[in-house]
Amino acid sequence: MLLVAGPRLSFQTIIGATAMHKTNSIIMHRSRAEIFETAANLELWPKILPHYRYIKYLERGTDRNLVIMAASRFGIPISWVSEQVIDREKFEVRFHHLKAFTKGMFVVWTFKETPAGVLVEIAHDLNFRVPALAPVAEPIIGDFFIHHIANRTLQCMKAHLENKGKWRAT
């Protein structure tokens, strides 16, 4: 394995390692700002996303948070520590996973206005720390957990936002 010289190693500095890239997207029909603020508000997630068990803040700020995030997939509990950066200029919510099986993963939420509505996309990028295990880890971590949980997150967030304020007769 060849390492590129530099002060910090990231997924981009390891040449030849096996990488995983997953994207999930959905069109939402609310204002871009409202969707962005909902996605950035981690305190809200366990209330509107039934597969999120909890979010615990280790550090809290206006544009940067350090959190323990916990979700479940078919009853299998998972958790990880992540740094969240809220970039209101770029309309991006970024995460860097700091602990657990996904340590080193970068996650970027983007919000693009289109004629059909706001395209919300979540991109996950991870270089596996043990490249030889990538063929086994990628389907489990990438498809079974990440892809599924991200799809469910987008679907539930869309339902929450688009049903907000709608009156229902009982």
Side-chain angles (χ1 to χ4, degrees):
M1 176 177 0
L2 175 65
L3 297 180
V4 177
R8 289 182 62 202
L9 293 179
S10 71
F11 78 98
Q12 295 169 325
T13 60
I14 301 175
I15 298 172
T18 303
M20 178 195 75
H21 176 77
K22 296 288 179 196
T23 59
N24 301 77
S25 63
I26 199 166
I27 295 287
M28 294 189 193
H29 299 100
R30 284 303 239 200
S31 76
R32 180 181 181 209
E34 186 177 4
I35 297 166
F36 173 81
E37 290 299 333
T38 301
N41 183 357
L42 295 182
E43 199 166 358
L44 184 62
W45 284 27
K47 298 172 187 169
I48 65 170
L49 306 173
H51 54 292
Y52 267 82
R53 298 179 299 132
Y54 60 83
I55 306 272
K56 293 181 182 174
Y57 285 82
L58 302 174
E59 294 177 24
R60 189 184 293 238
T62 56
D63 61 355
R64 182 191 168 277
N65 298 297
L66 190 60
V67 293
I68 300 171
M69 304 178 82
S72 64
R73 163 76 155 101
F74 289 141
I76 302 168
I78 58 170
S79 66
W80 60 98
V81 175
S82 189
E83 175 189 38
Q84 178 200 36
V85 175
I86 302 164
D87 188 334
R88 287 182 171 80
E89 278 185 33
K90 290 184 179 178
F91 271 87
E92 287 183 355
V93 178
R94 296 185 296 272
F95 296 90
H96 180 209
H97 290 214
L98 303 174
K99 292 183 181 178
F101 291 109
T102 56
K103 180 179 178 179
M105 183 162 62
F106 292 93
V107 182
V108 180
W109 285 62
T110 57
F111 309 83
K112 181 181 177 186
E113 294 196 48
T114 73
V118 178
L119 175 64
V120 181
E121 182 176 272
I122 308 172
H124 291 83
D125 288 290
L126 174 66
N127 266 2
F128 291 103
R129 290 174 284 173
V130 182
L133 296 179
V136 174
E138 198 275 335
I140 296 167
I141 293 172
D143 296 327
F144 186 78
F145 285 107
I146 293 169
H147 191 70
H148 177 83
I149 289 171
N151 265 342
R152 186 141 190 238
T153 297
L154 289 171
Q155 292 165 356
C156 292
M157 195 169 288
K158 173 185 174 79
H160 167 76
L161 284 162
E162 292 181 1
N163 291 321
K164 230 168 123 174
K166 288 187 179 176
W167 180 80
R168 293 184 199 180
T170 54

